[in-house]
Amino acid sequence: MPDKNEAFDVNNIYKEEDRLSKPDYLDTLNEPQRQAVVYGNGPLMIIAGAGSGKTRVLTYRIAHLIENGVDPFRILSLTFTNKASGEMRKRIEGAVGTEARNIWMGTFHSVFAKILRIEARYLGYTSDFSIYDTDDSKSLLRSIIKEYNLDDKVYKANVVYNRISGAKNRLVSADDYINNAVIQADDEAAKMKEIGRIYKTYVTRCFQANAMDFDDLLFNTNVLFRDFPDVLYKYQHKFQHVMVDEFQDTNVSQYLITRKLSAVNRNIVVVGDDAQSIYAFRGANIENILNFEKDFPDVHTIKLEQNYRSTSTIVNAANSVIARNKSQLKKETFTVNEEGSMIDVIKAGSDNEEGRLVATAIFEEKMQKSLKNENFAILYRTNAQSRSFEEALRKLGIKYRIIGGQSFYQRKEIKDLLGYLRFTVNQRDEEAFKRIINLPKRGIGDTTVARITVTAAENNVPIWEVVSNIANYATGRTITQIDQFGTLIKSFMLMLDAGKDAFEVSAHIAKTSGLLRELYEDKTVEGLSRYENVQELLNAIKEFVDSEENEDKTLSAFLQSVSLLTNADEPDENEDNDRVTMMTIHSAKGLEFRNVFIVGLEEDLFPSQMMLESRQDLEEERRLFYVAITRAEQKLSFSYAESRYQWGRLKMCEPSRFLLEVDAKYLNISQSFQREISREGSSSSPMSFVKNLSPRRPTEPRPATAASAHTPTSDFVPSDTHELAEGDKVEHSKFGFGTVVKMDVNGTDRKATVKFDKVGDKTLLLSFAKLRIVK
DNA sequence: CTTGATTATCTTTTT
DNA sequence: GATAATCAAG
């Protein structure tokens, strides 16, 4: 063992011989933290308040285990996001060296996908199984609903998907679902008694397609461990230590897996904070914490209550909010950090102004305190809110990054290429097939596709069987088209058989399929960026193949890894990381920033109207607010807009009730402002709406456009984007959203889609889009 | 049958 | 505002 006093060389931090010579990290911990790190065998529950050094404790604990001779291969560490697991792996690697790579660490979904891939044959799957994302699942459900001739106005794919997903997360199989009187009564009441039948068919179709959806990854792991004790035995003994981060967000399905896995060694550590439980909508169950105490009566509990992250203003403000929740475990979070500055409240007239004000605030704060872009984060409730901030930041030349939302891997062109890759690996993948069969256009339409899928289902053969022997099933022109497609795929499959790696195959497919060429020939701005995106995907595949961490370089391995990367892990843009981060509060969990802006604090937006309607759970929304507040280290700002465009309409907004729930003594606002944002003071009459939009509003001077100068203002109040020229006349045929109107522009007839809204007796013209000449 | 154009629909959060 | 579903024309 190396001498403890040996000089610590930061440059050699990864060298194994240094790992025990570092300053004794146990000294840097407070007492409960230290206990959590060194606690020996047996079940342990750590209740960790926000900013209490939870990640540090987990990291050190794993490092501690390894230093005490536990084989990294025998540690299982489960997190919720790829980001969190990547971060933790990096930090452990910093402490114990490259051994850290051998730890079984990742999200529930990725770890169990890996196990399912190894054990696929037990369940009748092949290890090349596809993973259906939400779009695939919904599309399949739509097909089934159509095939059953059910009314798709009643059976909405979204609703059906959520019902099925909820069932799977409670480990209710299709048969259980159909035989459960309570569920059936529920469905009957909702006039959707066929959901059980749809569920059953859906499961069958997924199985036939050799595909699992997100929930199946957990559901099938449970089935695997239930029905094949040998397999369970293997993993129970393999994993000596099991750790679960964000335990408050696990659902029953996830909890049962971890409980089973740790039943033999009983070394299970769960870390969580009930105040930060924000995934109940996905089946997360706070009761798991109570169940845990029941299932492991000898559990030792440690509370981490000191916040090291934030100023006392921020910690106290957060506490003043969460204290309003009735259901919570007893826990006192406190800090000895300095008081820090008060919380700013920014009031804006519109969502665009909100963007400008926040961007300006960032700009000024950056200058005054000489901060970096990366010190700032903008957090919002819904992804759609990012737009106004993007525009404003761009105008000020501040670089930003958006996490989540329309992720890279959700883009059409990316999913198209992935569709080809998926189908090449797994010819039973029905959704991939539907996506690529007529792409690029080969003259194969919906009718032909439907015929093929129906034929396949009727004869109970895989789709590929029909495609590759199309002559037996069809006649005429379509034969040649389908045949060509089949030959193309076969040539791709041959490359796989020849042992080519993921990159070689993908690059070949991108070229040969004609996808790249089609995008290349598209010279529009969007076309260019699509082309670049595909190139970027190919780069990502190249990186995957070149990375030393990946032993399996097959296309199939790449697809497995990529289908579980959703929101965070875009392929590395340039290494320029000094960017303002924008994301939803959900994706911000576990992160921290010096300055945080919580934006869109308006009633019905945050707290979300939907949440209040569907689940009547204000407390979960409040916990979300708590999570958002506690992301901030030094400085926190709130903002809200008095009006906001929402799917084409302008909506009047009231300040969120959450604003008022923050103890006023932490807010940097005058009393009159405080009165103004309180419910009683705000007016929701239509007239205040008009006032907000009028150019006379002093707070938001609108840039004068040609349109605003020349549109008949008595009837129309223009929005900021217009493409009308001098002398334009506008005539509306009827009111309402997305109406088509005729216009006379300089003597030419034009057609345009415009948006109207009626407020009181006034008709407001909200925006013009797609202005073009008609004949 | 396929294609392009128009219209309807949906917007909470994530793996 | 974006995308899926539907419609009308080739």
Side-chain angles (χ1 to χ4, degrees):
Chain A
M1 194 159 147
D3 180 3
K4 273 212 160 183
N5 296 321
E6 196 179 291
F8 178 53
D9 178 0
V10 273
N11 296 319
N12 278 329
I13 194 164
Y14 294 108
K15 281 214 180 144
E16 300 230 344
E17 51 268 33
D18 282 332
R19 72 177 190 214
L20 294 182
S21 65
K22 285 185 309 181
D24 193 349
Y25 50 69
L26 293 183
D27 292 344
T28 68
L29 300 174
N30 68 20
E31 187 50 25
Q33 286 177 328
R34 197 192 60 81
Q35 279 177 17
V37 169
V38 302
Y39 184 80
N41 290 344
L44 172 66
M45 177 152 71
I46 304 172
I47 306 289
S52 61
K54 177 193 72 171
T55 309
R56 207 151 67 111
V57 165
L58 265 181
T59 312
Y60 288 170
R61 181 172 168 84
I62 293 176
H64 190 253
L65 286 176
I66 294 177
E67 285 175 0
N68 283 284
V70 177
D71 183 347
F73 275 113
R74 301 190 61 185
I75 299 175
L76 172 65
S77 170
L78 297 166
T79 57
F80 266 78
T81 60
N82 297 302
K83 222 183 322 158
S85 81
E87 179 67 19
M88 203 182 310
R89 190 188 294 273
K90 221 189 305 167
R91 283 163 77 161
I92 297 173
E93 204 169 307
V96 302
T98 50
E99 263 187 292
R101 289 188 191 164
N102 297 332
I103 302 169
W104 278 66
M105 178 149 50
T107 63
F108 275 91
H109 289 82
S110 70
V111 166
F112 295 119
K114 191 168 162 188
I115 289 179
L116 284 170
R117 197 163 134 81
I118 297 170
E119 315 293 347
R121 64 200 159 86
Y122 286 97
L123 299 174
Y125 279 85
T126 77
S127 63
D128 289 335
F129 67 83
S130 295
I131 297 175
Y132 277 180
D133 67 13
T134 315
D135 287 340
D136 295 323
S137 300
K138 285 179 186 167
S139 152
L140 176 54
L141 284 171
R142 265 191 289 272
S143 317
I144 294 172
I145 291 166
K146 208 170 213 169
E147 286 162 28
Y148 279 168
N149 283 319
L150 295 167
D151 184 354
D152 58 4
K153 296 271 183 329
V154 179
Y155 290 89
K156 293 189 178 160
N158 228 329
V159 176
V160 177
Y161 176 80
N162 286 332
R163 289 288 286 179
I164 294 176
S165 170
K168 282 185 183 169
N169 284 329
R170 281 175 286 127
L171 296 179
V172 176
S173 70
D175 285 329
D176 296 343
Y177 191 98
I178 293 169
N179 295 325
N180 184 310
V182 178
I183 295 177
Q184 286 308 310
D186 264 9
D187 281 354
E188 200 124 357
K191 301 220 162 77
M192 294 194 282
K193 60 186 168 71
E194 298 294 335
I195 290 186
R197 203 154 64 104
I198 299 174
Y199 184 3
K200 183 136 197 194
T201 311
Y202 172 76
V203 171
T204 314
R205 288 281 273 278
C206 284
F207 183 71
Q208 282 171 346
N210 195 26
M212 299 193 197
D213 67 16
F214 286 141
D215 302 316
D216 286 337
L217 296 176
L218 305 173
F219 186 93
N220 287 338
T221 304
N222 271 295
V223 172
L224 180 73
F225 288 162
R226 183 194 65 198
D227 295 348
F228 302 94
D230 292 358
V231 180
L232 175 61
Y233 182 90
K234 182 166 103 188
Y235 288 101
Q236 277 177 331
H237 286 82
K238 174 181 177 61
F239 295 127
Q240 217 174 337
H241 290 267
V242 176
M243 276 171 229
V244 184
D245 196 7
E246 308 286 8
F247 184 65
Q248 76 280 358
D249 286 328
T250 51
N251 58 37
V252 172
S253 181
Q254 291 165 321
Y255 176 55
L256 288 185
I257 294 173
T258 50
R259 195 181 72 183
K260 273 189 178 161
L261 280 178
S262 51
V264 169
N265 290 313
R266 295 179 60 77
N267 295 325
I268 179 167
V269 180
V270 299
V271 187
D273 177 8
D274 60 301
Q276 296 185 65
S277 165
I278 55 176
Y279 281 104
F281 75 92
R282 204 173 74 184
N285 195 344
I286 307 193
E287 283 176 26
N288 281 345
I289 292 183
L290 305 175
N291 287 335
F292 190 80
E293 288 172 322
K294 231 181 287 163
D295 291 334
F296 299 94
D298 54 332
V299 62
H300 182 67
T301 303
I302 295 176
K303 288 184 185 171
L304 306 180
E305 296 173 306
Q306 182 172 357
N307 181 310
Y308 293 95
R309 177 187 297 156
S310 315
T311 64
S312 71
T313 301
I314 292 167
V315 171
N316 293 336
N319 284 339
S320 76
V321 167
I322 201 69
R324 293 168 189 264
N325 273 2
K326 298 247 155 38
S327 62
Q328 46 182 329
L329 302 179
K330 46 186 184 308
K331 175 164 45 73
E332 270 316 311
T333 57
F334 68 97
T335 187
V336 296
N337 291 350
E338 59 175 18
E339 190 181 337
S341 44
M342 306 257 271
I343 302 169
D344 283 341
V345 180
I346 299 170
K347 168 191 168 183
S350 69
D351 48 356
N352 287 330
E353 191 191 31
E354 184 185 32
R356 287 194 290 273
L357 292 176
V358 168
T360 313
I362 290 177
F363 187 83
E364 283 169 1
E365 181 85 359
K366 239 183 91 174
M367 288 302 151
Q368 275 173 22
K369 308 244 167 79
S370 55
L371 300 174
K372 291 177 160 181
N373 291 334
E374 63 188 356
N375 293 130
F376 296 87
I378 301 175
L379 307 182
Y380 34 76
R381 178 66 232 266
T382 67
N383 283 303
Q385 285 166 254
S386 66
R387 184 178 316 275
S388 56
F389 301 98
E390 283 180 71
E391 281 170 17
L393 288 172
R394 243 200 319 263
K395 272 184 196 150
L396 291 185
I398 299 173
K399 288 191 173 156
Y400 61 86
R401 122 177 11 102
I402 297 179
I403 292 178
Q406 242 274 17
S407 102
F408 182 78
Y409 291 102
Q410 309 246 58
R411 291 184 190 166
K412 211 182 301 150
E413 62 276 16
I414 298 303
K415 291 193 75 172
D416 289 343
L417 180 52
L418 288 176
Y420 266 98
L421 303 182
R422 267 165 59 179
F423 196 67
T424 303
V425 167
N426 170 20
Q427 295 83 35
R428 283 153 61 187
D429 191 327
E430 184 181 333
E431 294 306 310
F433 171 76
K434 282 198 282 195
R435 179 170 273 277
I436 62 174
I437 179 67
N438 196 27
L439 208 132
K441 306 259 159 62
R442 334 185 140 75
I444 302 171
D446 291 347
T447 334
T448 311
V449 173
R451 205 170 285 166
I452 291 176
T453 38
V454 169
T455 310
E458 274 173 1
N459 299 327
N460 202 19
V461 292
I463 285 175
W464 178 243
E465 176 67 23
V466 180
V467 171
S468 51
N469 299 300
I470 189 71
N472 299 341
Y473 297 95
T475 50
R477 192 170 55 96
T478 40
I479 292 187
T480 7
Q481 311 286 357
I482 304 275
D483 224 33
Q484 270 179 16
F485 174 74
T487 317
L488 189 67
I489 299 294
K490 267 181 209 150
S491 74
F492 298 157
M493 287 160 63
L494 280 177
M495 288 190 76
L496 283 190
D497 293 341
K500 304 279 188 197
D501 69 35
F503 178 69
E504 292 173 288
V505 183
S506 313
H508 177 77
I509 291 179
K511 263 185 231 133
T512 326
S513 66
L515 276 185
L516 263 186
R517 183 158 13 95
E518 194 183 46
L519 293 175
Y520 185 72
E521 281 160 8
D522 183 353
K523 294 298 181 194
T524 62
V525 186
E526 300 88 32
L528 191 65
S529 96
R530 289 209 194 101
Y531 181 80
E532 283 167 358
N533 284 337
V534 172
Q535 292 291 0
E536 226 175 305
L537 175 60
L538 290 174
N539 287 341
I541 300 176
K542 181 92 178 105
E543 256 173 54
F544 175 85
V545 170
D546 290 345
S547 161
E548 287 171 23
E549 284 178 49
N550 300 310
E551 296 147 36
D552 189 348
K553 301 186 188 307
T554 60
L555 183 56
S556 155
F558 173 75
L559 286 176
Q560 292 270 331
S561 80
V562 91
S563 42
L564 294 170
L565 293 183
T566 35
N567 68 338
D569 306 73
E570 314 242 328
D572 289 341
E573 293 175 38
N574 13 11
E575 277 111 48
D576 185 5
N577 282 325
D578 184 26
R579 292 162 184 271
V580 174
T581 307
M582 307 202 307
M583 61 187 145
T584 63
I585 301 167
H586 281 89
S587 19
K589 195 165 62 161
L591 304 179
E592 55 193 17
F593 300 89
R594 188 188 189 283
N595 288 31
V596 169
F597 290 81
I598 302 174
V599 300
L601 274 169
E602 294 131 33
E603 195 64 16
D604 293 343
L605 182 61
F606 188 28
S608 140
Q609 187 178 26
M610 277 224 151
M611 176 66 114
L612 298 191
E613 276 169 9
S614 63
R615 307 195 49 255
Q616 320 223 319
D617 193 351
L618 180 64
E619 301 215 338
E620 178 158 329
E621 290 289 286
R622 194 177 278 126
R623 290 193 292 269
L624 197 54
F625 189 40
Y626 177 80
V627 168
I629 294 174
T630 51
R631 296 313 95 195
E633 295 167 350
Q634 297 288 316
K635 170 97 189 148
L636 183 62
S637 309
F638 297 144
S639 79
Y640 72 95
E642 294 176 309
S643 69
R644 162 180 309 280
Y645 285 96
Q646 205 172 295
W647 63 95
R649 277 164 192 275
L650 197 57
K651 196 186 85 176
M652 270 307 294
C653 307
E654 289 180 34
S656 165
R657 73 180 81 181
F658 285 163
L659 264 184
L660 305 170
E661 291 185 356
V662 181
D663 194 328
K665 69 182 173 212
Y666 304 119
L667 297 180
N668 187 18
I669 54 175
S670 65
Q671 281 207 339
S672 62
F673 193 13
Q674 169 77 20
R675 263 199 307 281
E676 196 184 329
I677 63 175
S678 76
R679 308 227 77 68
E680 298 75 39
S682 76
S683 149
S684 57
S685 78
M687 286 325 287
S688 68
F689 166 36
V690 175
K691 192 181 66 195
N692 286 341
L693 271 186
S694 111
R696 273 171 291 140
R697 257 183 67 79
T699 44
E700 187 184 10
R702 277 172 189 286
T705 61
S708 62
H710 299 287
T711 315
T713 46
S714 56
D715 284 328
F716 300 109
V717 179
S719 71
D720 16 23
T721 51
H722 264 242
E723 295 183 33
L724 295 179
E726 188 162 355
D728 293 352
K729 279 178 192 156
V730 181
E731 200 180 29
H732 57 263
S733 51
K734 54 176 181 177
F735 298 139
F737 167 65
T739 329
V740 175
V741 295
K742 277 189 196 155
M743 287 180 303
D744 183 41
V745 181
N746 298 333
T748 323
D749 252 355
R750 295 188 181 203
K751 214 161 84 172
T753 306
V754 300
K755 290 159 190 172
F756 289 102
D757 215 345
K758 230 181 160 177
V759 177
D761 53 353
K762 282 205 167 181
T763 304
L764 303 177
L765 177 56
L766 297 181
S767 73
F768 275 84
K770 294 178 194 164
L771 203 67
R772 67 187 185 86
I773 301 174
V774 184
K775 298 216 167 90

